[in-house]
């Protein structure tokens, strides 16, 4: 007896028993109605049986099925029949139990997706050497039925159209063995349309999973590259100078090829969670998940924006370092082209795009992104434990002691500390009167001025990023800076007008000046 016949007999017996139970436990009107419904389901199942894995679709409640006792039904039926028929019924009960066990075992085998010669025993086995010439030479990966020569598992061998598939749809044929259906929220269009062989060769291939290309990426880009022949709009350009390593390795590092619970067939939410699946456990790389969660000052582009990581980064390939969507400064200015409030204290950040437009002398990292690092030279775009998401410490105060902060002071990341710590020099700085280092004079006495008192960190109309105004006690004072070829002058509120010249010293300095 074939397995499908045993399964059919099992289900038929259970359904018939359920019908008999209903007939003996409810009133006459309901008996007739319920029995009719069950028999209709049985007949429908018999009709569909040869084409379905389970031959019936009887609509019986779980409660009714729980109350069905095959042995008890057999005993009750046996009261009015001969001993011979009783034995036959008990034999059916035994076969039913065996069939149920076989079905369970069969299902377990199918999960493994393993074609065996047991499945092919009804098919005419063909020796591979007798295959048509178009299949030669054989490729590296063979579909298991093809490898066994069991052509009749998929094709008709006789009749008017030999070689024709035994099912109308190729997907129905594939699902006979590959039982896992693709029914998550988002389906790959070829899968949804049942076009399995758009991606997979049904016989053989030189690529794993019988792909119709040398690699996963080659296969995907047949449809998803710009200017594809199928006019598919969702395209990916992998020709950028900087490529995302997982995307370069294989599309399926991030995407599911058949069906997924997330948009764009991603394996997780693509805005940030999927990124952090890798970027929190890479070698020689900070745990980004922990960093973003615990850092004191957070970047709103990550925490508050709709697209999170994708606000700045392209997940595939670009011509910008860090696979940024745009050149780094332009990326930052796509948000900082207006006043933005900070999350921590509601402080209103300036419209940086406007500031840079109005002030032509830019800080070197902004001016030369490729060489000096752009905004990210000073700011950490993923968050920081220093205000303004700075990479190192800085101050908002007018006075500061840079000697205490020297090791971790942001300005010393590029500017040599010697410019501010040597009293007399003719080499380390141009801001001097003769050989008197005026930087030292400004920052090393009891009331050392912070860098930002005189300099704008981003851009200025004046050379050396000199501010137009400085602020003290909430009041703005003009700097009144004027430059010359060998020096210059300034006249802020903190002192009278002073001139300086590197060649011809303008002032005499006593030791007391350096102690103030």
């Amino acid at each position: 007896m074939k397995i499908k016949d045993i399964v059919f007999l099992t289900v038929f017996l259970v359904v018939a028993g359920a019908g008999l139970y209903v007939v003996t436990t409810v009133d006459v009107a309901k008996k007739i109605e319920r029995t009719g419904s069950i028999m209709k389901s049985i007949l429908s199942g018999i009709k569909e049986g040869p084409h379905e894995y389970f031959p019936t679709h009887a609509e019986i409640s779980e409660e009714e099925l729980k109350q069905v006792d095959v042995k008890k039904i057999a005993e009750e039926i046996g009261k009015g029949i001969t001993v011979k028929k009783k034995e036959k019924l008990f034999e059916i009960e035994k076969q039913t139990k065996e069939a149920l066990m076989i079905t369970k075992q069969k299902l377990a085998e199918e999960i493994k997706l393993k074609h065996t010669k047991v499945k092919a025993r009804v098919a005419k086995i063909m020796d591979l050497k007798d295959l048509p010439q178009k299949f030669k030479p054989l490729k590296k990966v063979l579909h298991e039925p093809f490898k066994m020569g069991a052509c009749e598992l998929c094709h008709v061998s006789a009749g008017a159209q030999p070689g024709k598939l035994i099912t109308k749809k190729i997907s129905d044929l594939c699902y006979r063995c590959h039982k896992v259906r693709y029914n998550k929220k988002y389906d790959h269009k070829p899968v949804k349309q049942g076009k399995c062989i758009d991606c997979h060769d049904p016989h053989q291939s030189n690529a794993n999973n019988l792909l119709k290309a040398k690699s996963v990426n080659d296969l995907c880009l047949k449809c998803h590259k710009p200017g594809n022949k199928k006019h598919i709009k969702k395209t990916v350009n992998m020709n950028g100078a900087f490529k995302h390593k997982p995307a370069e390795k294989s599309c399926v590092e991030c995407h599911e090829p058949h069906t997924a619970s997330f948009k764009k067939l991603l394996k997780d939410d693509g805005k940030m969670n999927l990124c952090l699946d890798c970027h929190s456990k890479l070698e020689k790389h900070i745990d980004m998940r922990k960093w973003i969660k615990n850092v004191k000052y957070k970047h709103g582009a990550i925490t508050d924006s709709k697209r999170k990581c994708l606000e700045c980064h392209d997940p595939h390939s670009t011509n910008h370092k860090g696979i940024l969507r745009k050149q780094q400064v332009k990326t930052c200015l796509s948000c900082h082209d207006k006043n933005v409030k900070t999350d921590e204290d509601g402080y209103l950040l300036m419209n940086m795009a406007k500031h840079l437009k109005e002030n032509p002398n830019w800080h070197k990292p902004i001016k030369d992104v490729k060489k000096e690092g752009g905004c990210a030279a000073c700011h950490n775009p993923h968050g920081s434990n220093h205000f303004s998401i700075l990479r190192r410490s800085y101050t908002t105060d007018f006075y500061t002691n840079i000697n205490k902060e020297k090791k971790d002071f942001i300005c010393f990341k590029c500017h040599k500390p010697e410019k501010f710590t040597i009293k007399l020099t003719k080499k380390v700085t141009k801001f001097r009167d003769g050989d008197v280092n005026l930087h030292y004079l400004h920052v090393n006495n009891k009331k050392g001025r912070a860098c930002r008192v005189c300099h704008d960190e981003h851009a200025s109309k004046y050379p050396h990023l000199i501010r137009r105004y400085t602020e003290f006690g909430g009041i703005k004072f003009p700097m009144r800076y004027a430059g010359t070829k060998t020096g210059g002058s300034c006249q802020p509120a903190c002192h009278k007008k002073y001139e300086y010249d590197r060649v011809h010293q303008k002032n005499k300095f006593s030791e007391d000046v350096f102690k103030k």
Side-chain angles (χ1 to χ4, degrees):
M1 185 180 285
K2 293 180 179 178
I3 289 174
K4 69 176 184 177
D5 295 332
I6 296 172
V7 173
F8 173 80
L9 182 60
T10 302
V11 178
F12 181 85
L13 183 59
V14 172
V15 173
L20 182 62
Y21 172 78
V22 171
V23 170
T24 58
T25 55
V26 298
D27 60 57
V28 177
K30 287 184 178 179
K31 286 178 184 178
I32 296 169
E33 184 183 353
R34 190 73 179 119
T35 304
S37 173
I38 293 171
M39 292 309 295
K40 184 179 177 182
S41 294
I42 294 169
L43 290 171
S44 173
I46 292 169
K47 184 180 177 182
E48 295 180 2
H51 307 287
E52 298 290 330
Y53 188 70
F54 292 106
T56 66
H57 300 282
E59 297 174 0
I60 306 169
S61 70
E62 288 187 16
E63 191 60 36
E64 287 174 333
L65 283 172
K66 284 178 183 177
Q67 296 180 31
V68 173
D69 187 331
V70 177
K71 188 174 181 180
K72 186 178 179 182
I73 292 169
E75 287 174 356
E76 289 179 357
I77 294 171
K79 290 177 183 177
I81 56 176
T82 62
V83 174
K84 199 169 187 179
K85 286 185 178 180
K86 272 187 182 181
E87 289 175 357
K88 191 172 182 180
L89 281 171
F90 282 120
E91 182 62 29
I92 289 171
E93 182 191 356
K94 182 182 176 184
Q95 289 177 354
T96 298
K97 289 179 179 177
E98 289 175 355
L100 288 171
M101 290 177 68
I102 291 169
T103 304
K104 187 176 180 182
Q105 182 183 351
K106 195 74 179 172
L107 285 170
E109 287 177 1
E110 283 171 352
I111 291 170
K112 296 177 182 177
L113 299 177
K114 190 176 180 181
H115 303 284
T116 64
K117 289 198 175 182
V118 176
K119 283 187 179 183
R121 66 177 179 271
V122 294
K124 183 181 177 182
I125 302 297
M126 177 182 284
D127 197 309
L128 291 181
K129 67 181 181 181
D130 297 326
L131 285 170
Q133 195 62 36
K134 68 177 182 178
F135 294 115
K136 297 176 182 178
L138 293 176
K139 297 179 180 178
K140 292 179 182 178
V141 183
L142 307 182
H143 193 196
E144 204 65 34
F146 178 76
K147 186 177 180 180
M148 294 186 297
C151 305
E152 288 185 9
L153 283 177
C154 303
H155 298 278
V156 174
S157 62
Q161 293 179 299
K164 181 183 176 182
L165 294 177
I166 60 176
T167 60
K168 287 184 179 180
K169 293 181 181 179
I170 186 71
S171 56
D172 290 340
L173 183 60
C174 297
Y175 286 138
R176 282 194 164 198
C177 295
H178 300 269
K179 293 291 177 185
V180 180
R181 297 277 173 158
Y182 303 109
N183 55 2
K184 292 182 181 177
K185 191 173 181 180
Y186 302 97
D187 293 323
H188 195 192
K189 199 170 183 179
V191 174
K192 197 171 186 177
Q193 295 174 342
K195 296 180 179 179
C196 305
I197 59 173
D198 274 14
C199 299
H200 302 279
D201 192 291
H203 299 104
Q204 58 179 338
S205 170
N206 283 322
N208 289 335
N209 300 313
L210 296 167
L211 295 181
K212 284 186 166 181
K214 292 180 180 179
S215 67
V216 172
N217 284 17
D218 287 344
L219 180 67
C220 297
L221 291 174
K222 279 185 178 180
C223 295
H224 293 285
K225 70 179 177 183
N228 61 82
K229 292 179 181 179
K230 294 188 178 182
H231 306 292
I232 291 171
K233 292 181 181 179
K234 294 178 180 178
T235 60
V236 171
N237 182 3
M238 286 300 295
N239 295 321
F242 299 92
K243 296 176 176 61
H244 191 198
K245 286 185 179 180
E248 191 175 22
K249 181 182 177 183
S250 174
C251 301
V252 295
E253 290 288 308
C254 299
H255 298 275
E256 294 284 4
H258 300 107
T259 185
S261 299
F262 299 92
K263 285 183 179 180
K264 299 182 180 178
L265 297 175
L266 291 170
K267 293 183 176 182
D268 203 339
D269 175 47
K271 295 173 185 176
M272 185 159 67
N273 286 348
L274 182 63
C275 305
L276 295 181
D277 284 346
C278 288
H279 287 277
S280 24
K281 49 194 175 189
L282 293 173
E283 287 186 21
K284 298 179 181 179
H285 194 288
I286 192 169
D287 184 335
M288 196 57 72
R289 191 189 300 276
K290 191 183 290 184
W291 178 263
I292 291 170
K293 182 181 177 182
N294 298 329
V295 80
K296 185 177 179 181
Y297 297 97
K298 304 180 190 300
H299 191 190
I302 297 173
T303 56
D304 301 333
S305 68
K306 290 181 180 178
R307 301 175 70 200
K308 300 190 183 300
C309 301
L310 300 179
E311 289 287 346
C312 302
H313 299 281
D314 188 291
H316 300 104
S317 166
T318 73
N319 286 320
H320 308 292
K321 191 175 180 180
I323 52 173
L324 291 173
R325 292 186 179 277
K326 302 175 185 176
Q327 182 256 26
Q328 194 197 99
V329 174
K330 289 180 179 178
T331 298
C332 298
L333 295 181
S334 60
C335 288
H336 291 276
D337 57 351
K338 53 189 170 293
N339 295 109
V340 180
K341 279 187 178 180
T342 60
D343 292 336
E344 291 76 26
D345 53 14
Y347 179 79
L348 197 64
L349 299 174
M350 72 165 71
N351 182 333
M352 189 55 66
K354 183 182 177 183
H355 183 65
L356 293 177
K357 187 177 181 180
E358 293 174 350
N359 295 275
N361 296 317
W362 293 0
H363 195 191
K364 216 169 182 179
I366 301 172
K367 189 177 181 179
D368 190 350
V369 175
K370 193 172 182 180
K371 187 177 178 181
E372 303 292 341
C375 305
C378 299
H379 301 277
N380 187 332
H382 300 106
S384 172
N385 287 316
H386 304 291
F387 82 96
S388 294
I389 57 172
L390 289 168
R391 292 191 178 273
R392 297 187 185 181
S393 68
Y394 198 44
T395 180
T396 57
D397 297 331
F398 191 89
Y399 297 116
T400 189
N401 187 343
I402 64 165
N403 288 314
K404 286 185 178 179
E405 302 181 44
K406 190 159 52 179
K407 289 182 180 178
D408 195 42
F409 197 58
I410 185 72
C411 299
F412 293 155
K413 183 173 179 282
C414 298
H415 299 281
K416 294 179 179 179
E418 290 80 5
K419 284 188 176 183
F420 312 92
T421 56
I422 297 175
K423 188 187 297 186
L424 302 173
T425 180
K426 287 189 177 181
K427 292 182 178 180
V428 298
T429 180
K430 290 182 179 180
F431 184 40
R432 64 182 194 272
D433 192 19
D435 61 355
V436 177
N437 185 346
L438 298 179
H439 270 132
Y440 179 91
L441 183 67
H442 279 78
V443 304
N444 276 281
N445 57 22
K446 291 180 180 178
K447 291 185 176 180
R449 284 77 167 174
C451 303
R452 67 186 309 166
V453 170
C454 300
H455 300 281
D456 189 294
E457 305 90 336
H458 299 99
S460 173
K461 289 180 180 177
Y462 304 100
H464 315 300
L465 297 174
I466 299 295
R467 289 183 181 275
R468 184 179 180 186
Y469 294 95
T470 188
E471 187 176 322
F472 182 77
I475 302 172
K476 284 187 175 180
F477 299 95
M479 292 287 290
R480 300 187 186 94
Y481 172 81
T484 66
K485 288 183 179 180
T486 56
S489 66
C490 66
Q491 188 182 353
C494 49
H495 60 71
K496 65 180 183 179
K497 183 178 179 180
Y498 275 111
E499 296 180 66
Y500 68 95
D501 193 288
R502 293 184 289 277
V503 180
H504 305 288
Q505 187 171 334
K506 297 283 185 179
N507 306 282
K508 290 184 178 181
F509 299 92
S510 67
E511 282 298 318
D512 292 338
V513 173
F514 296 102
K515 296 176 182 177
K516 288 182 181 179

